[in-house]
Amino acid sequence: MSARTGRHHLTLLFSLALCSLRCLAQTPPAPTALRPSPSSSPSSRPSPQPQTERLKVRLAGFPRKHNEGRVELFYKGEWGTVCDDDFSISNANVLCRQLGFVEASGWTHSAKYGKGQGKIWLDNVQCGGGERSIGACKSRGWGNSDCTHDEDAGVVCKDERIPGFVDANVIEAHVDENKLEEVRLRAVLAAAKKRLPITEGVLEVKYKDGWAQVCDAGWTVKNTRVVCGMLGFPHERKVNKNFYRLFLERQKNVYRVHSVACTGTEVHLAACPMEFNGPNGTASCRGGSPVVVSCMPGPLFMPQHASLKKKPKASSIVRLKGGARPGEGRVEVLKGTEWGSVCDDRWNLQSASVVCRELGFGSAKEAMTGGRMGQGVGPIYMNEVKCSGHERSIWNCPFKNITSEDCQHTEDAAVRCNVPYMGLENSIRLGGGRTRYEGRVEVLGMDANGTEGWGLICGETWTTKEAIVACRQLGLGYANQANQETWYWDSSNVTEMILSGVKCTGNEMSLTQCQRHKTLSCQKAAAKFAAGVICSETTSDLVLNATLVQQSVYIEDRPLHMLYCAAEEDCLSKSAAKANWPYGHRRLLRFSSQIHNIGRADFKPKAGRHSWVWHACHGHYHSMDIFTHYDLLNANGTKVAEGHKASFCLEDSDCQEGVSKRYECANFGDQGITVGCWDMYRHDIDCQWIDITDVKPGNYIMQVVINPNLEVAESDFTNNAMKCNCKYDGHRIWFDNCHVGDAFSEEAERRFEKYPGQLNNQIS
């Protein structure tokens, strides 16, 4: 080594040592084995991250599920990607935990989710797996990379959330929680204290181990609007101060906050300017008294006994779809007669709050982007919505009209609204499950002796609809499975049945709102026959391609000698049994079905493969007894052609670009439909028809219902039905106006059909 080379080497080592010290000062300490030494090389130093804020990570790209995607990091005010050089499952584990998932199930290379834009922030990342942030792992340093975006790394996270973790792709209110931790209304009247939700009372803020009051000097209606929005109420009401004066004068008040000055658009009181009294402050409220707030609940939370001259009504031009809990879901707006979604460009809390209040909830708790509540299937009407927060409807906000190049449904905007506290979760729990998301349902009620305590629900009539309500009441998301028998460990000594005959529509907020037997009637009263549930934060959502049905319809007269297999599967009308086999033919209404999974979890049959039925004629296993109903209905809603109770083999026929097939029927393969994929039943395969041999010429409605018995959980069952106007002249047939069941406005749907649509395949 020459003297020049030696001096250069020493200089490099000294520079790297200084750099490493700076890095250590800016990042959380890494595990001992990963801490840099003065002689560390450029490719092994930890990545310095901003000291002032937590490193932001998101998943991007298309197409993808919510738990996978291209890794993007927010650094120095700019989003950038990570190169796949030296990438490993350990890196993926660190990133998935940063995103709120328990661990990674895999990672991807070579820009599987599409090429990113802008900076490539990190390269040669090497995590040990225990780091709290990707910024604490070894790398070449921020912005130091020799990669292109063809090498962008991605991760696939296990679809299980860390309890209590703040969601990715979520815009939240950034407030100083130390400044104002919690707010409540303390009811004064004894009757009001027992009734939920509490809509009126003294405003109090959490202070030390108790509660303190807010001085009403200078208090405005704008402040009240913000408080009501936080507590889940869309509007404020005037307060009769004289009613409260005597009570307030008698109590000892501790004033913590004064001089509150909200604009009315804030989503949290802590975001408003205000002043605080000192730590030991019990200062008086000169010229005033404690703030009293009164709020107007939305239609969903309005007490039944409320005597209002003008009761609030829910909006008919905005709705939320795909959410598991009240006040959450994908935002859809009505334009003309058809519903469409909103693109998430510039989507923020102010715009989300306008939607929430319009629907009868409070302000927005979260504004979600990236199709976090599933993807829509219709038009996208709005982009770059810019609400101020004062508007009465999202339609009153400035926005850009959409073009096909602007947005895709992977960018559908969603909201999670503040809703009033109802205490519903206090009267239900799960027992004996392996995780908090599953178990035997135990409810608070009266036993046979009239003693209040926890008890079981008879599982005899327990279905997916009841499980949906139970999971909603528990706050645990969607119902993944309804169990009529439960083999869970008895962890709570609750063994007595106290409810039977529970029957829900699926829209209730709690099981107490569902029908039930007045007196207990359960043939199997042992604890193992109690109702149980498995809940999930994500679930599937199936929808039929209505356009393809309309384009592919035709009539075929098929010889009977080619229909033996179809007859064995009960795919023909009853009159076929009286035919002179194998002579003659059946007239078949044929069409193609393309069933997409647009949800956030794979659609899998309820039954395990051990109970699948082999069908020799068609050479595959049937994993569901009934997957789809095909019906032809007359103007009275009467079924005129035999419903085809399809027993299909579920598989991924094809997928969106970048999504891999996971399910295949051949060779006793696993069955299901992956998110972003579809199961295709071509018009020319057996049983893909309605037997219309006995149907007379006329005008009809053709109806397809997917998953009609709700055997498998979905986030939205209202889009499972598809309908078409049908004209048959005895020789030819035409389909028109094919649409998914919830795509039209109520008025347009009434014009489409003169009777309520049926979803149960029963003759009316």
Side-chain angles (χ1 to χ4, degrees), residues 603-625:
F603 182 94
K604 301 190 71 173
K606 181 179 179 180
R609 63 170 61 212
H610 63 279
S611 60
W612 295 353
V613 178
W614 172 256
H615 194 271
C617 268
H618 292 142
H620 59 233
Y621 285 91
H622 290 167
S623 59
M624 292 182 69
D625 290 335

Side-chain angles (χ1 to χ4, degrees), residues 500-573:
S500 64
V502 178
K503 187 176 182 181
C504 307
T505 65
N507 298 319
E508 298 88 349
M509 290 194 293
S510 75
L511 292 174
T512 57
Q513 298 172 349
C514 302
Q515 298 178 14
R516 87 277 304 273
H517 290 155
K518 291 183 178 180
T519 57
L520 184 70
S521 175
C522 188
Q523 294 182 357
K524 298 179 180 179
K528 72 174 184 178
F529 297 110
V533 295
I534 301 177
C535 306
S536 174
E537 289 292 341
T538 59
T539 188
S540 60
D541 188 16
L542 298 187
V543 64
L544 185 67
N545 184 339
T547 303
L548 182 62
V549 173
Q550 185 166 321
Q551 293 172 344
S552 60
V553 65
Y554 66 97
I555 286 177
E556 178 194 12
D557 289 333
R558 193 164 182 81
L560 282 174
H561 69 84
M562 301 176 69
L563 292 172
Y564 281 103
C565 272
E568 185 178 320
E569 286 204 23
D570 197 25
C571 296
L572 303 174
S573 61

Side-chain angles (χ1 to χ4, degrees), residues 106-185:
W107 62 278
T108 65
H109 57 84
S110 305
K112 177 185 176 181
Y113 300 101
K115 295 187 288 186
Q117 296 178 340
K119 300 281 189 181
I120 299 176
W121 280 127
L122 293 178
D123 190 5
N124 298 109
V125 180
Q126 298 176 23
C127 299
E131 296 86 352
R132 291 190 175 185
S133 169
I134 195 73
C137 302
K138 298 176 183 177
S139 77
R140 295 169 63 107
W142 288 99
N144 186 3
S145 172
D146 58 0
C147 300
T148 67
H149 282 296
D150 290 310
E151 302 168 83
D152 284 343
V155 295
V156 180
C157 302
K158 184 178 180 181
D159 193 6
E160 183 178 341
R161 303 291 295 170
I162 298 173
F165 190 90
V166 176
D167 211 344
N169 285 342
V170 167
I171 304 166
E172 291 186 302
H174 295 286
V175 296
D176 185 356
E177 293 182 356
N178 296 323
K179 179 180 173 184
L180 197 66
E181 182 182 351
E182 194 176 341
V183 171
R184 75 173 184 182
L185 294 183

